[in-house]
Amino acid sequence: MSRSQPAGKRLLAINNYFYRRGGAEAVFFDHMAMFAQIGWDVVPFAMQHENNVPSPWSDYFVSEIEYGQRTSPLRKVVQAASVIYSVEAQRNLARLIAQARPSVAHAHNVYHHLSPAIFSTLKDAGIPVVMTAHDLKLACPSYKMLRAGKVCEDCRGGRIYNVLRHRCVKASVPLSGLVLVETMVHRALGLYRDKLDRVVVPSRFYLEKLVEWGWPREKLVYIPNFVDVETYRSDWEEGDYVVFAGRLAPEKGLATLIRAAARANQRLILAGTGPEEEALRELAIQTGANAHFVGHLSGQELHRLIGQSRALVLPSEWYENAPISILEAYALGRPVIGAAIGGIPEMVRDGQTGLLFASGDVEDLARKLSDLTALTTARRAEMGRAGREWIASEFSAAAYRDRTLALYEALGS
C-alpha cells in the first residue's frame, strides 16, 4: 500500500474495534469523520474483526482476540500474553508509522486487545500521544470501580491485589488474576503514566476521580463528548411513557427503575438487551410495573422512541462517565431524569433540562417520575428545548473540534 505524506496534518486514530460497538466507538468514529472533514488525513489502527467497516489500512490491524470463544489451551496462553503486552500490535504499528507517519496519535479503548504496549512504540517514534478515558481503567484494574453491583474503590492507593481477592472480573479467579498481572506489568513499565502525553477526560467527575487516584492533574484535559444537534429532529409528538435505552446490566439501576415506575404508576419502555433481561422481566411481573421490553433499537427507530417519550431515564448505580444518551435525548428535544452519580449531574440541570434523583433510591426516583408527569406537556417540551440549546454550544461538535485542535497544537502537532 502506498501513501504519500499530505501537506496537512495526519491523525492516527486508535481503538480496539473498528465498528460502532458502543459509546467509545461512537466517539472514535465521529472523531475520525470530524478531522477528515476539516482536511486531516486520518489513518485508523484497530483489531481485525468480522464486523469491522472496510478500511484501506486493515492490513495493519492486529489479530482478533474475542473472549468467551472456544479455543485451544496454547491459543489461550498466547492471547493472555497479548492482553498484557502485544508484540504483534507494536510490530504492525511500527510498519504503519513507517508508511504513514502521523502528526499525532489519539487512542480510545486499547486494553485487552491492542494493549498499551503501542504507547511505547509511539513514544519511541517521537509522536505525541493522547488517549481518551472512556472508563476508569487508568485507575481501577477492572475499569468500572464496581463490585457486586456496588461502587468499589478498594484498589485505591496501589492495593490492586484486591481485583483478584474480590474476583472482580466475571467472578473468575483466572480472569481476575490475569487482569492483576496485566495491571502490575503496565504500571511497572509506565505504559500509561509515562508514555501518554495527555489524557482526555469527558467528565469533570472522572478527571477529579483520576486525580484522587494519583494521576497528575496537568496530564488530564477536560473535553466533553458531543453530538451534532442539527442532525436530530426535535418536533416530536409526546407519548405517555418514559424510556430507558441501553444495556440491561446490573450497574444500570434498572431494578430500581422498574420498582419506581410501579410505585409511580408510570408506563416504562426499555430499549436494549443484556444479562439482566430475564430477571428484570420477572421483576416487572412481580411488582406490577407497566414495563415493556422492546429489544435493541438504533437509528431512527431509537430516535423516535426517545423523541416521543416524556423523558429519558438514566438510573445508573455506578460511576457513569459522560453518557452520550443524555446528549442525544436533549438533541431530540426531551428532558432527562438522571441519577446523581458519576458524571451525570454535570449533564442534567436540575429543574431546567431534567430532574436528578439519589442513585439507587426507589422512593426518590418514583417521586421524580411523578413530578415530571405532573408537569404540562409544554413545560416538558420547554425543558427539552433548554437541553438542546445548552448542548448546541457546550457539547457541540465545533466545541469538541476546537478543544481537541488546541490540545494537539499544544503538543506540537
Side-chain angles (χ1 to χ4, degrees), residues 241-243 256-268 310-315 336-338 355-357 361-375 380:
Y241 59 90
V242 295
V243 64
T256 297
L257 174 56
I258 287 173
R259 290 189 175 97
R263 293 194 185 192
N265 193 28
Q266 296 296 309
R267 184 171 178 236
L268 168 66
R310 287 173 175 157
L312 176 78
V313 187
L314 206 66
V336 174
I337 299 177
L355 301 172
L356 290 169
F357 71 97
D361 189 327
V362 173
E363 292 292 344
D364 195 24
L365 177 52
R367 277 194 296 272
K368 297 304 167 68
L369 289 170
S370 296
D371 289 348
L372 187 91
T373 302
L375 299 174
R380 287 190 292 271

Side-chain angles (χ1 to χ4, degrees), residues 16-19 46-55 58 61:
N16 285 327
Y17 294 96
F18 199 62
Y19 65 96
M47 178 182 69
Q48 294 171 0
H49 194 279
E50 63 182 5
N51 294 334
N52 280 358
V53 299
S55 168
S58 60
F61 291 5

Side-chain angles (χ1 to χ4, degrees), residues 31-316:
H31 184 126
M32 287 192 294
M34 172 184 293
F35 275 76
Q37 188 174 25
I38 62 174
W40 283 54
D41 184 25
V42 179
V43 176
F45 184 66
M47 178 182 69
Q48 294 171 0
H49 194 279
E50 63 182 5
N51 294 334
N52 280 358
V53 299
S55 168
W57 299 98
S58 60
D59 288 348
Y60 294 92
F61 291 5
V62 303
S63 302
E64 179 181 356
I65 299 176
E66 275 301 304
Y67 303 100
Q69 293 184 354
R70 288 192 171 187
T71 187
S72 68
L74 177 60
R75 180 60 183 159
K76 286 182 179 179
V77 171
V78 172
Q79 287 190 347
S82 294
V83 163
I84 296 170
Y85 195 98
S86 176
V87 175
E88 182 198 2
Q90 286 189 310
R91 184 171 59 244
N92 290 9
L93 181 57
R95 290 195 299 116
L96 180 56
I97 292 170
Q99 187 67 40
R101 182 179 177 84
S103 308
V104 63
H106 195 137
H108 294 267
N109 284 347
V110 303
Y111 49 83
H112 301 340
H113 298 285
L114 300 178
S115 91
I118 60 173
F119 298 143
S120 289
T121 304
L122 292 164
K123 196 70 172 176
D124 291 345
I127 296 166
V129 188
V130 175
M131 176 179 171
T132 295
H134 292 284
D135 51 46
L136 289 164
K137 179 67 173 179
L138 296 181
C140 169
S142 66
Y143 82 88
K144 281 187 177 180
M145 291 191 188
L146 186 76
R147 176 167 60 89
K150 304 292 182 183
V151 168
C152 172
E153 298 196 32
D154 284 3
C155 285
R156 185 173 170 178
R159 299 187 297 272
I160 59 173
Y161 57 82
N162 281 307
V163 71
L164 176 57
R165 176 172 165 247
H166 296 319
R167 303 181 184 184
C168 292
V169 184
K170 298 185 178 180
S172 164
V173 169
L175 290 177
S176 300
L178 177 62
V179 168
L180 173 59
V181 173
E182 171 199 50
T183 306
M184 291 171 64
V185 170
H186 293 170
R187 293 190 179 185
L189 296 177
L191 296 181
Y192 291 112
R193 191 70 63 100
D194 299 336
K195 308 302 182 184
L196 293 173
D197 291 295
R198 293 291 186 277
V199 176
V200 169
V201 191
S203 70
R204 293 185 178 91
F205 176 88
Y206 266 37
L207 191 152
E208 295 301 329
K209 187 58 65 179
L210 290 175
V211 170
E212 286 176 21
W213 280 57
W215 271 83
R217 187 179 295 273
E218 61 271 17
K219 276 210 167 185
L220 308 177
V221 180
Y222 169 65
I223 301 180
N225 291 328
F226 69 94
V227 297
D228 183 358
V229 297
E230 298 306 319
T231 63
Y232 291 78
R233 275 184 56 192
S234 60
D235 57 342
W236 306 95
E237 184 175 340
E238 185 186 82
D240 64 347
Y241 59 90
V242 295
V243 64
F244 167 85
R247 183 167 163 77
L248 307 184
E251 69 272 15
K252 296 298 185 178
L254 299 174
T256 297
L257 174 56
I258 287 173
R259 290 189 175 97
R263 293 194 185 192
N265 193 28
Q266 296 296 309
R267 184 171 178 236
L268 168 66
I269 296 180
L270 300 103
T273 59
E276 292 293 289
E277 182 170 350
E278 185 177 344
L280 292 171
R281 286 179 179 274
E282 291 177 3
L283 179 63
I285 293 170
Q286 292 169 9
T287 59
N290 185 5
H292 303 267
F293 296 79
V294 296
H296 175 75
L297 299 178
S298 61
Q300 288 304 311
E301 273 190 308
L302 181 60
H303 287 181
R304 183 177 296 105
L305 181 68
I306 296 172
Q308 293 179 344
S309 70
R310 287 173 175 157
L312 176 78
V313 187
L314 206 66
S316 297

